[in-house]
Amino acid sequence: MIATTELTLWTDVFSTKTGAVYQCDAERCWYVDFAGKVAKFDHRCFMKLRKAVYAIDIEQKLLNTTTDPDVEIIFICACDHCYVLSLAQIINLKELLEGTFVMLELNHIIHDRVYSNSL
């Protein structure tokens, strides 16, 4: 669980019923609360996580009729975190990351509109 003092330094970027992403300006990092753990990512590793999750072909895995386990290991080089996720968890993590990046893009658009109109 996240301590209240830590949470006051974090900005909630996006959350779902299965997880949340927080931004910490003081530490210049992201915190991903997902699958029972809170993981800290710098910008580069956070983008690598996004790329790794987006690269998983969920439809192909669902249609695969072999007896391979329905588990995916997400390991990112130069990062301290590893996820071992079921297909349902992968879908939930992908939803969390997609929502996060939509919110970041929306924030960027609003910032550009507000500050470009004030000039």
Side-chain angles (χ1 to χ4, degrees), residues 15-45:
S15 60
T16 64
K17 63 182 178 181
T18 59
V21 175
Y22 304 96
Q23 180 179 358
C24 180
D25 291 335
E27 297 179 51
R28 294 184 169 178
C29 66
W30 303 91
Y31 286 94
V32 177
D33 183 3
F34 186 78
K37 73 176 184 175
V38 178
K40 179 181 176 180
F41 293 93
D42 64 15
H43 181 72
R44 180 178 51 94
C45 289

Side-chain angles (χ1 to χ4, degrees), residues 13-14 23 30 43 46-47 50 54 96-114:
V13 177
F14 186 75
Q23 180 179 358
W30 303 91
H43 181 72
F46 192 55
M47 297 306 283
R50 175 188 180 193
Y54 284 18
L96 179 63
L97 292 176
E98 286 173 346
T100 297
F101 284 97
V102 166
M103 290 297 112
L104 292 173
E105 183 64 26
L106 179 60
N107 186 40
H108 180 72
I109 291 168
I110 292 170
H111 183 271
D112 283 351
R113 297 288 185 235
V114 168

Side-chain angles (χ1 to χ4, degrees), residues 2 8 12 42 45-46 55 57 62 92 97 100 117:
I2 302 168
T8 58
D12 186 8
D42 64 15
C45 289
F46 192 55
D57 187 355
L62 289 171
N92 290 333
L97 292 176
T100 297
N117 289 336

Side-chain angles (χ1 to χ4, degrees), residues 34-103:
F34 186 78
K37 73 176 184 175
V38 178
K40 179 181 176 180
F41 293 93
D42 64 15
H43 181 72
R44 180 178 51 94
C45 289
F46 192 55
M47 297 306 283
K48 285 183 176 185
L49 174 65
R50 175 188 180 193
K51 184 177 180 181
V53 171
Y54 284 18
I56 298 170
D57 187 355
I58 296 169
E59 184 178 349
Q60 184 273 333
K61 291 197 171 292
L62 289 171
L63 296 174
N64 188 356
T65 59
T66 64
T67 58
D68 294 338
D70 292 335
V71 172
E72 188 74 25
I73 299 173
I74 301 173
F75 175 77
I76 303 163
C77 292
C79 294
D80 296 335
H81 307 290
C82 177
Y83 290 99
V84 179
L85 303 173
S86 68
L87 289 179
Q89 289 175 312
I90 293 168
I91 292 167
N92 290 333
L93 181 57
K94 193 171 190 176
E95 175 188 18
L96 179 63
L97 292 176
E98 286 173 346
T100 297
F101 284 97
V102 166
M103 290 297 112

